[in-house]
Structure formats: C-alpha cells, structure tokens
Amino acid sequence: MIRKWAFRAIVLYLLFGIAMYAYLFFFANTAVPEALRGTAVDPATFLNGRELMLSEDYSRIRNLLFFLATPYEWLFYFLILIFGVSATFERWANHTSKFYVIRSAIYLFWLSLTSFIIMFPLSYLSFTISKSYQISTQTFSGWMKDKLIDFWVSYGTMFVVITVLYFLIKKFPKRWWLAAWGLMIPFSIFMMFIQPVVIDPLYNDFYPLKDKELETKILEMADKANIPAEHVYEVDMSTKTNSLNAYVNGIGSNSRIVLWDTTLERLSEEEILFIMAHEMGHYVEKHIYIGMAGYILLSLIGLWLTAKLMERWLARRGKEWKVEKMSSLSSLPAFLLITSVLLFAASPLTNMVSRYQESRADTYAIEMTQDKEAGIESFQSLTKAGLSQVNPPYLVKIFRYGHPTMLERIKKIDEYELNK
C-alpha cells in the first residue's frame, strides 16, 4: 500500500509539472492589451528586442520553478513520512540521549540535512539559470556560503520552534495549537526586531550611505513620515545580483532604511527618492502592523486546522508510518506538509492584501514626490533589471505576486492626476 501511495504521489507531481509547463509556455497570455500598446506600460517602448525575448523566457522558467518547488517539498515530506525515514531519524535521536532537548536537536538536524540535500538540485538549477540570464552575479562559492548560512539560521530558528511546539503537544494534547499560537506572537515580534541587526548582516555588509547629500534628502522625507531613522544604509548587493531594490524593515528602534548599491548605481536621484517614498508609505499606513495582525489571525486558523488534520491523519495511518503518536518528533513532516499546503492555499488571499498595500504605497509615493516621470522610469528600470514580465499570467499573479503587476503600477502612475 505504501508503494502505491508513493507511486501515485510521484505521478501526480509529474502530471502537475507537465500541466504547469503547458500553461506557462503555451496557453498563458502575457501580451499587453491592444489599448495600451505604445504607452509607457508597453515593454516594447523601454526594452529592446533581445531584452523582450529574455524577459519572457526567464520569467516563464522562473515561474515554472516556483510551481515545481513547492509541491516538490510536499512530496519530500510525504515520502519520508510514509517510508518511515522520519521514524528512523527519531530512533537515532532517542538512542543518542535521554534529554528531550538534545533528541530534538539531533532529529531536526537529520531532517534538515536530508531536506537540504533533496532540495539542492532545484536551488542549484535556479542559481545557474539566474547566472545564465545575468541576473545573478554571484560566484558558486558565494552562493554556497549563503545557502549554508540559510541552513544554520533556519536550523536554529526551527530548533527553538519545534522544541517548544512538541513540548506543548505533550503538555496540552488537545489545546496545544492555542498555546503555540499564544507564544508565536511575541516570538514573531522578536524576530522582526532582530532581523535588521542580527540576521541580515550575516549575508551582506551594511554601511551608512556614502552619498550624504542623498541621505539628507531621504532622512528629510523620513522625518515627514515620522520614521525614527538617523541613518540610511546601503548594502553591497552588486556582488550577488543585477536586480534593484530598497526597503524599510524592522520595528521600533531597530527600523532601518536600506538601499541596494545596484539601485544607487543605476537609478537617478529622483527615481531613488520615489522608491524610498513608496517604502515609507508602508510605514505611514501601518502596513507592518496590519500585516502582523493578519498573520496572527491566519496563524490561529492555520494551527487549528493543522491540529485537526494531523490528529485524523495520524490516527488512520500513524502505525503504518511508524509514528506512534502526535507528540512523537517523527510526526514533524506531517506538520510541515500540512502547514505548507495551507500556506500555499492561503497565498492568493495574502497576496491580494499585499498587492492592495503596495498600491497604496505607490499612491503615497506619487503624492509625496509629485513626480510621475520618476515613478514610471523607476518601475521600467526595475522591470529591465529583473527581466520581469509586465503582464504575467493570472495564476502567477495570484500565487506569486505580492506587488501589483508592472502593467498595473505603471498604468496607475501614468493616469494619476497630480494635486494642483
């Protein structure tokens, strides 16, 4: 029976991959509507023929990898669960120590290492494709360094989460999901607080903006937006990518305004100020806190659903998978599988909310800078640097895009009537 489940799961994954390939490469329509051709929205007005071809090819491949990677992860969790691999990891951990914390660390290490190895081919494929299209500028050794940092940061975070989670499952068998939700709130806030000053510097060097005149202008904008920032930081992303970006992250005293050096090198001052105004719009409209509230609400629903589904699933199949009970660490792949599926299912909703917030931030940037030209040119530059599709397929938009499409963003600015 287990072999049948495994065979069916693999066949289903392959059929899904074929269907997504056909959709993205043959059926999806990414052309700009006839009424918008020749306008600022039309990529033919700011990309040459080769760039147009590359943006379509690269976007299709990148989108296909996205739709393949998530169910590939589900397949991994399902197979190690039904073949008893997870139970074997737990048995190794139990034989190593009598202390729960140490057993948890050992089990999670083997699971994380196996996941890293299994997911590595897709990650490496994504890296090589990005290199071939000259989006990534990173060396293989630099990329591997980041992957290893990812591994240990994820492992450390997961160790804390899983150790506490399974303690709660043992302590509160029927209401563990509620206790976990209660502890998740302060933990999420703590992670947001330390992200800019502890985690981000592990990957890149951050230093005060060298262009002091530009920094003064950005800080003046920040002061108008009541953002508690004394410095603007730049980060050396040119060693990794040709893409452009800027952001404001962190909360409270750890809030940071950050510009990628690629953005500083390739955009005009007016375009940079427009992008920074957009990022400040998120702060002004309290999008971070609204997002946190939504995350907290969805997490409560998600944990409750996960608890119910795990309970039923393991009651029916646990013995076949050598998972004795829900509080066994070997049940973790079931937890990760269910939560991943739920997150994916919720992504159209969360992305829709995010797109609304991004649109609001665009409006704030237009009103603050009163510079439509800079806004249009900055989005055109972002499209060109990232080889992005201006009008992506519908499924790509709802499952991948936390921002409005470039067609929507440029069209909005182009048609926006400035205050006189």
Side-chain angles (χ1 to χ4, degrees):
M1 179 61 81
I2 287 177
R3 289 183 179 179
K4 284 185 178 179
W5 289 341
F7 177 76
R8 290 169 183 169
I10 293 170
V11 169
L12 186 62
Y13 174 74
L14 293 174
L15 290 175
F16 173 79
I18 293 170
M20 289 310 305
Y21 177 83
Y23 170 72
L24 293 170
F25 283 82
F26 297 104
F27 298 110
N29 181 18
T30 60
V32 173
E34 184 70 34
L36 295 176
R37 290 181 186 175
T39 67
V41 169
D42 189 351
T45 64
F46 58 89
L47 299 179
N48 60 41
R50 181 173 182 275
E51 289 169 337
L52 283 169
M53 179 190 68
L54 291 176
S55 66
E56 283 297 315
D57 290 346
Y58 178 67
S59 294
R60 285 169 180 158
I61 295 170
R62 185 178 59 176
N63 291 332
L64 178 62
L65 286 176
F66 166 80
F67 283 110
L68 290 178
T70 302
Y72 183 70
E73 183 182 36
W74 301 345
L75 183 64
F76 162 71
Y77 290 138
F78 182 67
L79 292 181
I80 67 166
L81 188 65
I82 68 173
F83 280 115
V85 177
S86 182
T88 300
F89 290 160
E90 184 177 29
R91 187 166 63 250
W92 292 351
N94 291 339
H95 288 165
T96 303
S97 175
K98 63 179 181 179
F99 297 105
Y100 165 69
V101 173
I102 296 176
R103 294 201 304 267
S104 176
I106 293 171
Y107 170 84
L108 187 60
F109 174 78
W110 284 114
L111 181 64
S112 300
L113 181 62
T114 306
S115 176
F116 180 85
I117 293 170
I118 295 299
M119 298 301 294
F120 185 83
L122 276 181
S123 297
Y124 180 69
L125 179 60
S126 179
F127 166 69
T128 54
I129 290 171
S130 184
K131 285 280 287 186
S132 66
Y133 282 86
Q134 297 182 347
I135 299 298
S136 174
T137 59
Q138 206 168 15
T139 62
F140 175 76
S141 59
W143 178 77
M144 275 302 302
K145 177 184 175 183
D146 281 352
K147 292 296 292 181
L148 291 174
I149 293 173
D150 277 342
F151 175 86
W152 289 112
V153 169
S154 176
Y155 175 78
T157 305
M158 284 290 290
F159 169 68
V160 174
V161 171
I162 297 308
T163 301
V164 173
L165 177 67
Y166 275 80
F167 170 78
L168 294 175
I169 292 175
K170 290 178 181 178
K171 190 77 173 176
F172 310 105
K174 296 298 182 182
R175 292 288 183 268
W176 63 265
W177 55 272
L178 189 59
W181 177 73
L183 290 177
M184 180 209 69
I185 298 171
F187 180 75
S188 298
I189 295 172
F190 172 73
M191 291 301 294
M192 288 180 65
F193 186 76
I194 69 168
Q195 179 81 32
V197 294
V198 177
I199 298 176
D200 289 349
L202 295 174
Y203 296 88
N204 296 97
D205 294 326
F206 292 78
Y207 37 85
L209 186 62
K210 297 171 187 175
D211 187 338
K212 295 304 176 184
E213 185 178 342
L214 177 60
E215 182 181 45
T216 299
K217 292 180 180 179
I218 293 173
L219 289 176
E220 286 175 354
M221 293 170 62
D223 184 58
K224 291 179 182 178
N226 295 317
I227 296 176
E230 297 179 358
H231 300 285
V232 178
Y233 293 87
E234 60 179 284
V235 55
D236 61 332
M237 289 299 295
S238 56
T239 58
K240 297 183 178 182
T241 183
N242 281 318
S243 296
L244 314 177
N245 198 14
Y247 58 88
V248 178
N249 73 340
I251 55 175
S253 59
N254 277 7
S255 296
R256 273 192 173 183
I257 301 172
V258 180
L259 281 161
W260 287 10
D261 60 349
T262 51
T263 303
L264 291 165
E265 291 166 5
R266 297 171 63 177
L267 295 188
S268 67
E269 182 177 288
E270 291 75 19
E271 291 168 344
I272 291 171
L273 291 176
F274 183 90
I275 289 175
M276 294 314 303
H278 166 93
E279 297 301 333
M280 292 175 190
H282 289 302
Y283 185 92
V284 170
E285 299 217 350
K286 306 291 190 292
H287 289 164
I288 292 175
Y289 302 104
I290 294 171
M292 284 176 58
Y295 170 72
I296 289 168
L297 176 61
L298 285 177
S299 296
L300 176 62
I301 298 170
L303 283 169
W304 176 77
L305 282 173
T306 300
K308 297 303 178 184
L309 291 171
M310 274 187 73
E311 186 177 344
R312 293 182 182 181
W313 205 8
L314 294 178
R316 293 180 61 185
R317 304 297 182 186
K319 289 184 179 179
E320 296 175 54
W321 304 337
K322 302 179 178 64
V323 179
E324 297 178 1
K325 49 191 174 180
M326 191 184 297
S327 60
S328 300
L329 285 170
S330 52
S331 71
L332 180 57
F335 175 86
L336 295 175
L337 171 58
I338 293 169
T339 53
S340 181
V341 171
L342 291 176
L343 283 170
F344 186 79
S347 61
L349 173 62
T350 57
N351 284 340
M352 181 179 68
V353 173
S354 177
R355 288 194 299 271
Y356 172 77
Q357 292 181 336
E358 293 295 339
S359 181
R360 291 285 301 171
D362 284 347
T363 300
Y364 179 87
I366 301 168
E367 294 177 346
M368 183 181 217
T369 64
Q370 293 289 298
D371 194 343
K372 291 172 57 173
E373 184 179 354
I376 291 170
E377 290 178 354
S378 65
F379 288 147
Q380 289 175 341
S381 296
L382 287 169
T383 302
K384 186 173 183 176
L387 293 180
S388 305
Q389 288 174 317
V390 168
N391 189 29
Y394 179 71
L395 289 181
V396 173
K397 175 184 174 179
I398 65 171
F399 281 103
R400 287 205 68 189
Y401 274 50
H403 291 71
T405 66
M406 283 303 181
L407 183 149
E408 294 166 337
R409 301 182 83 176
I410 297 174
K411 183 174 182 288
K412 175 179 179 174
I413 297 176
D414 196 34
E415 296 176 351
Y416 194 87
E417 292 189 10
L418 295 174
N419 298 324
K420 301 298 183 183

